[in-house]
Amino acid sequence: MSEIFRLEKGGLINRNKKLSFKFNGKKYFGYEGDTLASALLANGVHLVGRSFKYHRPRGFFGAGVDEPYAIVQMNRNNEVDPNVRATEQELFEGLEAKSVNCWPNVDFDIGAINNFLNKFFPAGFYYKTFMWPKSFWYKIYEPIIRKAAGFGAASIKHDKERYEHKYEYCDLLITGSGPSGLATAYAAAKNGARVILAEDKSRFGGSLLTSDVTIGNQSGQEWAEKIISELKSMPNVIVKNRSQVFGYYDHNMLVMSERVSDHLPKTDKYIPKQRLWYIRAKEVVISSGSIERPLVFGNNDSPGVMLSSAAKEYLKVYGVLVGKKPIVFTNNDSGYETAIEFKKNGIDPIILDTRKDANSEIIKEAKELNINIKFSYVVVAAKGYKKVNSADIAKISDDKKNISNIENIKCDCICVSGFWTPTIHLASQSGNKTKFNEEIDAFIPSQSKQKETTLGAANGVFTLEETIKTSFKKGSELSKQITNKESKVSIPTVVEKKSSNHDKFWCVPLPEGKNYKRFLDFQNDVAVSDIYLALREGYRSIEHVKRYTTLGMATDQGKTSNLNGLQLVSEVENKVVPQVGHTTFRPPYTPVSIGAIVGREIGKHSKPTRKSPMHYWHEKNNAVFVDAGVWLRPRYYKQGNEDLFEASKREAKNVRQNVGVCDVTTLGKIDIKGPDSAEFLNRVYTNAWLKLPVGKARYGVMLREDGIVMDDGTTTRISENHYHMTTTTAQAANVLSHLEYYLQLVWPELNVNVVSSTEQWAGAAIAGPKSRDVLQKLFPDLDVSKEGLPFMGYMEGNLFGVKAKIYRISFSGELAYEVNVESDNGNYMWEKIIEIGKEFNIQPYGTEALSTLRIEMGHVAGSELDGRTIPYDNSLEGLVSKKKDFIGKRSLSKTAYVAPDRQKVVGVIPLDKKTSIPEGSYIVKDAKAKLPNPKLGHVSASCWSVEYDNPFSLAIIKDGKNMIGQKLFALSPLKNKTIPVEIVSSHYVDPKGERVRS
Amino acid sequence: MLHIKCPHCGLRSQNEFSYGGDATVKRPELNKEVSDKGWDNFVYLRKSPRGKHLELWQHISGCRQWIKVERDTLTHEIFKTLKANEEA
Ligand SMILES: [Zn+2]
């Protein structure tokens, strides 16, 4: 099909570059500079989608962000992009798009049967109909509704496009490059302010691109071009097109979405598809203009019915006629401008003006052009199913209550203008208390809450002269406060045609006996009758009416429907609009893709990955890694065909029999220095610290103020006023903040400094009966004998030329040492340990074996210190000092904490000595008791004991102290298991702790 | 996102800070008798005022200092920020 609706010349498109594209599988041509919408219209394509609820045929209604209908599914770069507005999508060579919300296709849509059954789809339909029977919801109702409703289908594939985030600061952020935005930006930039000017369209200039005005001897469009090119050349100005400021947040933080390469056939590898800007602005100027309001009449959603401003934009910007036999239906002078443009291009429009009479320069021009104008006339209903082919028009009485002389006239489009609605979304988001302006029947910003000013049409000012004047002034004023500079800018003279007053009439009454659907919300299919119904059913608050009818809740956020909805409610309720009030505007102003919100923080970039200095050795030696917080730790080292179970058993056994080495770099480490360090530790830990000698380590438990165990670890006195604290991997950051809190706020008199040293040290735990032999060979000059380096002893040594710290501490319950060297030497240390340990059958072991070793020893860890347990629960009460005070001590005397049957950690063995007990299982007395079966507690950790070769678990159960020897049941409803068990001591292996002291 | 003026570093975005609760709560002194009620008040009970609130924030991704922030909980207006040792 050729472009039969494209004018021979005119518009801002590049006629030298023809582009081919596909819509619903069919090939068309357009030009560079077209949007998908303008290119389709040039080809006479009006039917682009089906409506949300009734599946009625829908075309184009607007030419920009306000478009409620023309939402398409894009195929670009081998990626699917759902819910793209065709009015915003710029054309590129090879573009492919298709309609959404129709099946099997847009021409023949089965869902359209809803339209003929529409009596059964009133407001609140889903709430009323699909309530019963309840069991039908998941299996029958929901899947069908989901298939029938909604717009595009999101891809289930991983999105390979690149999205970026950017942070920016500026003095003035200006949202919109129409006359007010340009004038403000220019004046502010001249005063040296750092300015960001954001325009959501590809072209700058806003209304100047389509209006017939003169600014300082230039056409509006030429003036806009001149200002923009000057702004672009200034180093203190960032000018961005295709960029929508969609959210206004606290403390003047605004977020802008830039469509960097959506208009290109393909995303460059190093250029993102979209970029999200977080902008902190000292002042914000909202110059977002206004959106034309629809008029409401029968079938006002038919393809071919559109805003008159959109028709004018298609003509002036794209050189496209939306029809060749247009009706312009208006209640103000704006419609005349569109009609005049048609006439100038050889098309004869008819103007239906709801006003009885009106006079202005614009109307005079229309009359001089011999345009057929009918005053006191309305469109009653559009006719034609998939495209308007005629309209029933009628004379309307002076009181606007009655229509007469209905006649049918042929037409191929109806351009409507119901006056203008200022775009106040951003001002409202910032907390501006908006007020209703009777003169324009719309809300405008009033009292700013943040540093924000609204100018021009967004502020309800519809004359260019005043807009230009106030914007130059405001831009200069606001910037002067920031930069203290003032350079004179002369305000250009403006020539524009004066308008007459608009008519407040906007909703055409139904003719007798007719039941036409008259739509308010075009995207969510909310008609006048739905509002009547909601009010009849007792909904009063506009917020409730909105939710019940879904008015203004679609992806266009009611840009074209909100005010008409409000006017209707206030009319029926006999209130004035400000009494009804508008619903809250919330970000985003336009839909934002999830990809842009996520940015680069995706997949492995969603959090940092920390690797120990020995990581590559682990990798080379077949380690299977596991996430431990942000760290990657070896879970086990795979040999041959081993699985997790076999490998971890082998590794743990080797520690018990020979010697193993484990990477413990991830442990949190905090360096503590200062003369009051001992006193501080004494307050932080539950046990006594004042008498710990230099060169000794001690195990400590710290509580929160509520008595719950926060963390545990060993702390070593390196020298008189220097301690080395270790924390669990998970709690490292919290413990540091906790210590800083007490030092800075509670006990500032203590002279102590703390700093994280986690990343400064690489650590290796050497554990097992032969660990001393390995250590001795690593440090031949040191006396590491039982007496020379006793349990909980500390030494410094020289590991083949590298400074090392040796702590005799044990998590595995075996004779064990932890060797720390500076991170850079970590791998060197590790390789030495493996090399020297070879003759003692050393093997590396991972976190799984580490867990096995600690569980069968009854050492508590994260799964027991789970933020719900006190020291007693973990059998750590021996470490709680009775003599001194410490953080959380006062809480330990709470009634529940001293109850005689208080929960306690115990060991659990299955009676058959074979069945592993799932972690999280309940411990119950009677497996067959009626539900809910009273539980005694839960299994916190499970392993396969390598010492006894049977399953062993730890559990925290009520009255654990007196439960030893009892036969109970472990119940796992998740795994559907009931396991008879015996409760034993949690210290399953070496209960006297002889090995660690050997 | 709030813009908080750290008394040590200057204006920084909220995501550099972590929230630390009511800054007017005083921990009972060590080794002093505290009633059950007094202790419960200290550990658990916090007001949730609408309006001015003196609260703690830690500049965790900055100087790591705990600071006091006087903020309106309704409007998010920040009236002043103080060092840990300064009184409101
Ligand atoms: Zn700071």
Side-chain angles (χ1 to χ4, degrees):
Chain A
M1 197 192 271
S2 61
E3 297 182 273
I4 52 171
F5 289 88
R6 181 87 67 183
L7 295 167
E8 289 292 312
K9 55 183 193 321
L12 306 174
I13 48 169
N14 177 10
R15 288 180 189 256
N16 296 321
K17 194 152 181 205
K18 208 167 177 182
L19 303 171
S20 74
F21 67 101
K22 266 187 187 167
F23 183 68
N24 285 334
K26 206 166 160 186
K27 196 169 173 183
Y28 299 96
F29 289 96
Y31 291 109
E32 189 179 77
D34 261 327
T35 59
L36 176 56
S38 66
L40 284 170
L41 284 168
N43 286 282
V45 178
H46 279 260
L47 178 61
V48 285
R50 292 279 174 160
S51 77
F52 191 65
K53 202 157 84 181
Y54 304 122
H55 291 249
R56 286 165 72 106
R58 291 283 164 87
F60 298 96
F61 194 70
V65 292
D66 50 318
E67 175 58 41
Y69 304 148
I71 287 169
V72 300
Q73 180 114 350
M74 288 273 297
N75 235 330
R76 176 184 164 275
N77 225 5
N78 295 320
E79 298 283 340
V80 166
D81 211 346
N83 302 334
V84 173
R85 279 180 298 276
T87 51
E88 282 195 294
Q89 178 61 52
E90 292 166 60
L91 203 65
F92 53 77
E93 178 58 39
L95 181 149
E96 274 181 47
K98 61 177 192 195
S99 298
V100 298
N101 203 28
C102 52
W103 184 84
N105 62 52
V106 69
D107 251 323
F108 177 72
D109 175 19
I110 281 179
I113 199 162
N114 289 1
N115 187 29
F116 302 104
L117 300 175
N118 70 48
K119 275 201 186 69
F120 305 104
F121 283 86
F125 168 74
Y126 293 117
Y127 302 126
K128 287 168 183 160
T129 312
F130 298 118
M131 294 295 286
W132 312 102
K134 205 176 162 192
S135 60
F136 270 39
W137 177 250
Y138 290 110
K139 288 203 171 109
I140 297 169
Y141 295 148
E142 200 193 356
I144 291 175
I145 294 172
R146 286 210 183 282
K147 200 169 156 62
F151 297 108
S155 166
I156 54 164
K157 283 192 311 184
H158 175 79
D159 185 352
K160 289 190 195 69
E161 298 279 15
R162 184 185 172 113
Y163 301 86
E164 280 179 1
H165 285 181
K166 182 176 166 71
Y167 293 82
E168 195 58 76
Y169 297 82
C170 66
D171 297 328
L172 262 83
L173 170 63
I174 299 162
T175 71
S177 73
S180 56
L182 289 174
T184 314
Y186 190 75
K190 283 283 177 193
N191 279 351
R194 289 187 304 163
V195 172
I196 298 177
L197 176 63
E199 169 57 50
D200 73 295
K201 295 202 167 186
S202 62
R203 294 179 183 84
F204 296 98
S207 63
L208 294 175
L209 296 178
T210 55
S211 54
D212 191 8
V213 295
T214 314
I215 307 175
N217 300 329
Q218 286 172 301
S219 75
Q221 190 210 326
E222 286 162 355
W223 181 79
E225 253 171 46
K226 189 195 78 181
I227 297 282
I228 281 292
S229 68
E230 196 166 336
L231 285 172
K232 278 182 176 167
S233 70
M234 296 170 83
N236 52 329
V237 181
I238 296 174
V239 175
K240 279 279 156 198
N241 58 342
R242 303 187 178 98
S243 297
Q244 179 76 59
V245 177
F246 65 78
Y248 198 135
Y249 301 90
D250 291 308
H251 294 188
N252 264 24
M253 160 72 85
L254 291 95
V255 186
M256 173 171 96
S257 159
E258 181 188 2
R259 305 186 305 277
V260 186
S261 40
D262 281 350
H263 62 295
L264 302 172
K266 225 171 149 47
T267 310
D268 188 278
K269 195 175 164 195
Y270 300 105
I271 296 172
K273 183 179 193 295
Q274 292 171 5
R275 183 182 288 130
L276 216 60
W277 293 56
Y278 292 87
I279 303 169
R280 188 82 72 173
K282 287 194 183 128
E283 291 283 350
V284 174
V285 171
I286 298 166
S287 49
S288 44
S290 57
I291 292 173
E292 201 164 22
R293 229 177 290 165
L295 288 169
V296 176
F297 54 89
N299 302 331
N300 59 335
D301 64 326
S302 308
V305 178
M306 67 168 67
L307 293 173
S308 92
S309 57
K312 190 172 73 170
E313 186 168 336
Y314 287 119
L315 240 165
K316 292 204 77 169
V317 176
Y318 305 102
V320 171
L321 293 168
V322 299
K324 293 183 176 176
K325 211 167 166 36
I327 291 177
V328 175
F329 180 27
T330 186
N331 70 359
N332 70 97
D333 285 5
S334 301
Y336 288 78
E337 293 179 20
T338 305
I340 290 168
E341 286 305 324
F342 271 119
K343 186 77 184 180
K344 281 182 182 167
N345 286 288
I347 302 292
D348 271 324
I350 301 176
I351 296 177
L352 304 185
D353 193 329
T354 65
R355 297 174 290 189
K356 198 177 167 193
D357 195 14
N359 273 304
S360 70
E361 284 173 36
I362 299 170
I363 296 172
K364 206 174 132 216
E365 187 183 350
K367 282 178 178 166
E368 280 164 6
L369 285 167
N370 285 324
I371 293 174
N372 183 359
I373 304 169
K374 285 170 171 300
F375 285 105
S376 286
Y377 251 85
V378 294
V379 174
V380 175
K383 298 282 162 129
Y385 183 55
K386 285 176 192 169
K387 171 79 194 294
V388 171
N389 55 29
S390 68
D392 280 356
I393 65 168
K395 199 157 177 60
I396 189 146
S397 62
D398 291 353
D399 65 358
K400 313 282 184 191
K401 296 253 159 71
N402 300 300
I403 47 178
S404 57
N405 302 28
I406 298 178
E407 60 178 307
N408 183 273
I409 59 168
K410 296 268 170 247
C411 67
D412 62 354
C413 68
I414 302 174
C415 307
V416 295
S417 177
F419 206 52
W420 297 86
T421 307
T423 305
I424 58 166
H425 298 65
L426 284 177
S428 173
Q429 284 178 23
S430 90
N432 192 304
K433 291 268 168 267
T434 57
K435 65 172 182 222
F436 191 73
N437 184 327
E438 296 281 347
E439 213 173 293
I440 61 167
D441 303 319
F443 287 91
I444 57 169
S446 66
Q447 194 65 46
S448 306
K449 203 188 94 181
Q450 305 200 44
K451 298 233 170 219
E452 146 265 304
T453 313
T454 304
L455 294 173
N459 196 30
V461 177
F462 296 125
T463 64
L464 185 63
E465 190 173 5
E466 196 189 333
T467 293
I468 293 273
K469 207 171 74 194
T470 46
S471 302
F472 268 108
K473 239 177 77 193
K474 210 64 199 169
S476 170
E477 224 173 84
L478 290 169
S479 53
K480 199 184 119 191
Q481 287 168 19
I482 299 166
T483 62
N484 286 321
K485 268 187 256 164
E486 190 175 16
S487 48
K488 283 268 167 277
V489 179
S490 59
I491 298 170
T493 49
V494 171
V495 181
E496 64 185 315
K497 284 181 211 126
K498 300 271 179 312
S499 308
S500 55
N501 289 339
H502 80 286
D503 184 2
K504 288 175 187 281
F505 173 78
W506 59 277
C507 185
V508 180
L510 284 175
E512 199 122 336
K514 295 288 182 187
N515 208 8
Y516 301 125
K517 282 249 166 230
R518 293 173 296 166
F519 286 95
L520 292 168
D521 185 311
F522 301 102
Q523 196 173 87
N524 266 359
D525 276 4
V526 182
V528 170
S529 52
D530 293 315
I531 302 288
Y532 284 145
L533 181 70
L535 294 168
R536 264 204 317 277
E537 290 185 357
Y539 291 90
R540 287 295 172 271
S541 153
I542 186 66
E543 295 282 358
H544 290 158
V545 172
K546 162 182 159 180
R547 280 158 184 80
Y548 192 58
T549 62
T550 70
L551 173 79
M553 282 172 69
T555 62
D556 67 346
Q557 294 240 311
K559 289 181 180 70
T560 49
S561 65
N562 275 338
L563 261 168
N564 283 344
L566 273 178
Q567 297 204 55
L568 184 65
V569 172
S570 58
E571 208 175 286
V572 178
E573 290 282 285
N574 228 339
K575 286 178 180 168
V576 288
V577 175
Q579 257 183 306
V580 177
H582 64 75
T583 54
T584 316
F585 293 105
R586 292 192 178 85
Y589 172 67
T590 49
V592 184
S593 67
I594 299 284
I597 292 168
V598 173
R600 300 278 288 142
E601 290 160 27
I602 194 161
K604 67 175 182 175
H605 300 296
S606 57
K607 60 178 171 50
T609 304
R610 294 170 112 182
K611 296 172 181 173
S612 95
M614 292 85 103
H615 184 83
Y616 296 101
W617 188 94
H618 303 322
E619 240 174 26
K620 263 185 272 163
N621 289 272
N622 300 323
V624 176
F625 292 94
V626 62
D627 287 317
V630 290
W631 291 90
L632 269 183
R633 295 190 72 176
R635 192 170 184 193
Y636 62 99
Y637 300 82
K638 196 180 170 92
Q639 287 188 2
N641 290 324
E642 276 178 339
D643 61 12
L644 164 70
F645 180 70
E646 291 158 351
S648 61
K649 225 161 88 171
R650 166 182 54 74
E651 290 169 9
K653 220 180 211 162
N654 191 56
V655 172
R656 294 267 184 252
Q657 284 169 359
N658 299 305
V659 58
V661 59
C662 180
D663 186 345
V664 292
T665 303
T666 62
L667 273 188
K669 303 169 202 78
I670 296 169
D671 212 51
I672 302 174
K673 275 184 180 167
D676 296 322
S677 299
E679 173 61 27
F680 180 55
L681 290 171
N682 210 42
R683 296 179 186 184
V684 166
Y685 282 129
T686 60
N687 48 343
W689 284 80
L690 294 179
K691 288 180 183 149
L692 180 72
V694 171
K696 282 280 184 187
R698 183 165 286 175
Y699 175 72
V701 173
M702 59 177 82
L703 309 184
R704 312 189 308 217
E705 291 287 16
D706 63 359
I708 298 289
V709 178
M710 179 177 183
D711 199 43
D712 70 339
T714 58
T715 292
T716 307
R717 193 167 198 171
I718 306 289
S719 67
E720 182 63 23
N721 295 326
H722 182 193
Y723 292 79
H724 172 82
M725 175 186 275
T726 65
T727 72
T728 58
T729 303
Q731 289 293 329
N734 291 344
V735 170
L736 183 65
S737 271
H738 178 77
L739 301 181
E740 287 165 335
Y741 175 89
Y742 283 93
L743 285 173
Q744 293 171 26
L745 288 158
V746 185
W747 304 311
E749 68 278 9
L750 293 182
N751 188 353
V752 179
N753 267 305
V754 293
V755 67
S756 166
S757 59
T758 301
E759 274 126 280
Q760 275 61 42
W761 300 104
I766 307 170
K770 293 179 185 166
S771 59
R772 184 177 284 127
D773 301 327
V774 176
L775 196 75
Q776 189 63 75
K777 278 202 130 180
L778 283 170
F779 300 98
D781 305 335
L782 293 182
D783 174 11
V784 298
S785 67
K786 192 175 171 180
E787 297 73 28
L789 182 55
F791 181 52
M792 287 297 186
Y794 164 76
M795 257 184 187
E796 287 169 15
N798 181 326
L799 191 146
F800 299 97
V802 167
K803 265 200 302 191
K805 303 192 167 200
I806 310 154
Y807 308 86
R808 188 176 159 188
I809 52 180
S810 175
F811 190 52
S812 57
E814 293 296 328
L815 169 67
Y817 305 88
E818 265 182 44
V819 183
N820 277 8
V821 296
E822 287 170 10
S823 287
D824 286 352
N825 300 322
N827 198 54
Y828 177 79
M829 163 184 74
W830 186 267
E831 285 180 343
K832 281 285 172 211
I833 294 169
I834 296 286
E835 180 193 322
I836 299 254
K838 211 169 259 170
E839 62 173 295
F840 306 103
N841 294 322
I842 202 165
Q843 283 182 19
Y845 63 102
T847 54
E848 200 67 23
L850 187 72
S851 285
T852 297
L853 295 165
R854 76 96 186 167
I855 292 169
E856 63 174 5
M857 276 288 167
H859 286 172
V860 289
S863 50
E864 290 76 37
L865 310 177
D866 62 357
R868 294 179 296 183
T869 55
I870 60 169
Y872 176 88
D873 306 349
N874 295 294
S875 286
L876 295 170
E877 64 271 25
L879 288 168
V880 176
S881 167
K882 293 211 164 56
K883 289 184 203 138
K884 56 139 197 177
D885 200 357
F886 53 84
I887 294 168
K889 183 177 190 181
R890 179 65 181 79
S891 289
L892 294 180
S893 54
K894 280 205 289 200
T895 318
Y897 289 179
V898 295
D901 62 350
R902 176 77 198 170
Q903 62 175 2
K904 202 173 194 40
V905 63
V906 293
V908 183
I909 302 170
L911 291 187
D912 68 359
K913 303 234 168 161
K914 277 188 203 121
T915 313
S916 286
I917 306 166
E919 290 177 349
S921 297
Y922 293 151
I923 300 293
V924 298
K925 275 205 173 104
D926 177 1
K928 296 199 169 70
K930 229 181 86 193
L931 293 173
N933 195 340
K935 64 166 186 161
L936 297 168
H938 72 280
V939 172
S940 58
S942 291
C943 73
W944 189 277
S945 166
V946 288
E947 186 87 5
Y948 296 103
D949 202 23
N950 56 252
F952 175 75
S953 297
L954 293 176
I956 296 175
I957 61 170
K958 196 172 176 188
D959 201 18
K961 188 166 77 171
N962 298 312
M963 288 298 201
I964 311 291
Q966 295 244 28
K967 304 267 199 303
L968 303 170
F969 296 92
L971 225 68
S972 175
L974 268 181
K975 303 254 163 97
N976 205 10
K977 273 187 179 174
T978 305
I979 306 161
V981 297
E982 185 183 352
I983 303 300
V984 297
S985 160
S986 59
H987 299 293
Y988 194 38
V989 174
D990 189 25
K992 289 189 185 139
E994 285 165 346
R995 295 184 194 175
V996 288
R997 292 180 175 78
S998 61
Chain B
M1 204 189 308
L2 306 184
H3 215 193
I4 301 171
K5 188 176 177 183
C6 171
H8 309 279
C9 311
L11 267 177
R12 300 298 169 94
S13 265
Q14 181 185 340
N15 49 8
E16 292 186 15
F17 297 83
S18 78
Y19 182 68
D22 190 341
T24 62
V25 175
K26 284 267 175 293
R27 189 193 192 278
E29 268 181 58
L30 287 170
N31 302 305
K32 282 259 171 72
E33 191 85 0
V34 192
S35 69
D36 283 349
K37 205 169 170 212
W39 186 255
D40 271 7
N41 272 337
F42 159 64
V43 176
Y44 298 107
L45 295 185
R46 295 291 181 272
K47 291 204 180 87
S48 181
R50 171 186 157 144
K52 266 191 190 178
H53 186 230
L54 190 70
E55 56 202 17
L56 294 170
W57 290 76
Q58 190 184 14
H59 196 186
I60 46 164
S61 303
C63 62
R64 293 207 62 88
Q65 294 300 302
W66 285 87
I67 61 167
K68 294 174 185 170
V69 177
E70 193 177 53
R71 180 180 67 103
D72 190 308
T73 57
L74 183 71
T75 64
H76 291 314
E77 185 178 351
I78 291 176
F79 306 100
K80 60 179 161 187
T81 52
L82 301 159
K83 293 178 183 169
N85 60 4
E86 289 174 337
E87 293 298 324

